[in-house]
Amino acid sequence: MRLRALLDTEALGLRLLGGEDELDRTVRGVMTTDLRDPSRYLTGGELVLTGLAWRRGPGDCEPFVRLLAGAGVAALAAGEAGLSTIPQDLVAACARHRLPLFAVDETVAFATVTEYVVRQVSSGRAGDLAAVVDRHRRLMSSGPAGGGPDAVLDLLGSDLDLRAWVLSAVGREIGGSGRSLAASVRAELAGAQQAAARTARPAPHRVAVQGGRIYSLFPVRAGAEDVRATVLSDWFLAVEADAGEWPAERLDLLHGVTQLIAVERERRDAARTVRRRLAAEVFELVRGGAPPAEIGARLRAAAPVLVPGAGDAPQWQIVVARVDWAGGDLAPGPVARDLLEEVLVDPAAAGAEATDRIAVAHLDDKAMALVPLPPPVPGAQEGGEDSPAALHAHRLLDVLRGPLGRGLADDGRLTIGVSAAVQSAEGLRGALEEARHARRVAAARPGRVCVAGHEELASHVLLLPFVPDDVRRAFTARLLDPLRAYDRRHRADLIPTLEAFLECDGSWTRCATRLHLHVNTLRYRIGRIEQLTGRDLSRLEDKLDFFLALRMS
């Protein structure tokens, strides 16, 4: 039934105090409460009746209404018995959270309103749709034993013939009904969801992906006031169907399912609280230069939480991340922490041995992750490509760049640094510094999502980003501007020829073959380059200068 029907029923004696634009909301139940926090007993869609016994002062209304709005209730009805009027601070709080507010006349008992709502809702639940909703609620309210997202999605498939998946912001599959989605499809859906979230378009979001399949996306949100705080770490529900023509009852059902999945998300977030605290303690010791023995003792104490049943982790890696938003009005640390917690449990990003026991903390304006790794494979190079469990910067970049680029839009930027693996507490301080320096290298690059690994700290690439801009411009102009000017006048392709010559290590034959030129033509062009710049490309020093100028241009 709709809220409007309650208002139109004279026997209930309800008077609307705010929320006239929301009267088409569906009422799926009723609850009477005077608890200060009744959210644990709410599943969404209820008409909440209250005698205001929880209100002891003007400051109590805002948190109470915020909890109700976050739980997705349909409306609040406050009894006038014993009151001269409904407090204005309650009216204002409901208006801020767009929660319809009714006054219940003192001559009308709450039992009368409850009986009427239950009777109307029960008659509307006579079909299969109602049975599915009730079964979902029973599953989720029963806690972890209820089966989590997979059990809810299985019911969608068996009762409504809908295939659905719960995905993370980077496209990780958290739960699904039936077959798994291809990685490319998941990444495309994740990017579409983030783009829609940044534009604040109302859900569901309709997306056509490769192969012509249509998906409808429903966000699973925690109700953050600033969407940027959660857009990079939110979950969402992807349904393989076009919800554009669905009746209101079915849309209400899917929105209800997302609220139920949000309960599971909150449970998992709560489970991470202890690991966050332990990670913060370890990183404080490492940053503060504590003795390795003290750090090792803290790691051994944390091992049952970080790696249950495994004792001391034989290897560790450290990842440092920062998310920057234009204007600097949003704290970057918590956003980066939530993002890393979602990313580093994804096998596609973190390797085949990804675990949900990642410990992430945010200190100052950055997030730092302590990633446990299994013992190295005998004969494998430490941190190399033949170590599948280790984190690799390029793999992180491949997974993050597509989806997160759309969530960052034009005002956000993500930079990440990855350390090498270390096998003892003695190496953690060096690993932290390594990851921090790698992140600085990533930050010096262009692009919305930039990742750098420890292997880049032994390359000239480390030095280039830190050369002052005016020095870079002067250096490249002195070497390359004469060639650019000549190319503009004569279309001689001296710059492409120079690049190819250096990439071929100065081999005349290989370079000529690559450019489809006669060797004599190539020699003429190189001679012209040397004449215009006063350099000799047979000398290593001049080759190196040209190479650096091209990299910095």
Side-chain angles (χ1 to χ4, degrees), residues 214-526:
I214 303 297
Y215 293 84
S216 296
L217 311 181
F218 297 80
V220 177
R221 286 185 182 152
E225 293 183 3
D226 191 333
V227 69
R228 297 175 303 170
T230 57
V231 68
L232 303 182
S233 57
D234 267 344
W235 291 0
F236 66 98
L237 179 68
V239 181
E240 191 177 353
D242 188 346
E245 301 299 325
W246 281 3
E249 290 80 4
R250 180 164 287 201
L251 286 174
D252 286 342
L253 170 66
L254 268 295
H255 284 298
V257 169
T258 62
Q259 293 173 2
L260 298 175
I261 295 172
V263 174
E264 177 67 17
R265 170 67 186 271
E266 290 168 3
R267 287 187 184 128
R268 297 193 186 189
D269 284 346
R272 290 170 173 167
T273 302
V274 175
R275 290 198 294 276
R276 290 173 179 174
R277 178 176 57 79
L278 292 173
E281 292 175 0
V282 170
F283 280 119
E284 287 286 8
L285 291 173
V286 173
R287 286 201 318 176
E294 185 178 352
I295 298 173
R298 195 70 197 91
L299 283 173
R300 286 190 293 275
V305 175
L306 299 182
V307 195
D312 291 347
Q315 285 197 113
W316 301 91
Q317 270 184 295
I318 290 179
V319 180
V320 175
R322 178 184 167 105
V323 177
D324 292 287
W325 301 102
D329 56 339
L330 187 67
V335 178
R337 179 201 63 198
D338 294 347
L339 170 63
L340 284 185
E341 286 177 336
E342 288 298 324
V343 169
L344 296 180
V345 301
D346 186 353
E353 300 295 331
T355 170
D356 64 354
R357 298 295 171 175
I358 305 299
V360 187
H362 74 86
L363 302 176
D364 302 326
D365 57 357
K366 301 176 188 67
M368 303 174 184
L370 187 64
V371 185
L373 302 175
V377 177
Q381 180 181 355
E382 181 179 342
E385 290 295 335
D386 51 357
S387 178
L391 288 161
H392 295 292
H394 69 83
R395 187 161 57 209
L396 278 172
L397 183 60
D398 289 343
V399 171
L400 299 177
R401 182 164 43 195
L404 295 190
R406 301 185 69 180
L408 292 163
D410 294 328
D411 60 344
R413 192 158 190 263
L414 167 65
T415 53
I416 297 178
V418 182
S419 80
V422 296
Q423 299 184 22
S424 65
E426 287 84 352
L428 283 179
R429 182 171 177 81
L432 178 58
E433 289 303 312
E434 200 170 52
R436 293 169 67 179
H437 282 301
R439 194 207 65 82
R440 292 192 190 101
V441 172
R445 295 171 176 165
R448 291 291 169 192
V449 180
C450 297
V451 185
H454 60 91
E455 66 279 356
E456 298 182 54
L457 301 183
S459 166
H460 68 278
V461 175
L462 173 65
L463 302 177
L464 296 185
F466 302 103
V467 177
D469 287 343
D470 55 345
V471 175
R472 291 159 64 104
R473 285 192 295 269
F475 181 74
T476 57
R478 189 176 301 114
L479 278 177
L480 302 182
D481 278 3
L483 307 182
R484 291 172 178 147
Y486 191 88
D487 280 347
R488 282 194 299 270
R489 290 195 305 270
H490 303 284
R491 299 180 182 178
D493 290 335
L494 295 185
I495 292 288
T497 301
L498 175 61
E499 290 175 332
F501 186 72
L502 295 175
E503 289 173 3
C504 292
D505 298 324
S507 169
W508 297 99
T509 304
R510 285 167 50 204
C511 184
T513 302
R514 178 172 175 174
L515 296 175
H516 305 290
L517 297 175
H518 192 278
V519 172
N520 289 340
T521 303
L522 176 61
R523 291 185 182 276
Y524 171 80
R525 289 187 183 180
I526 296 299

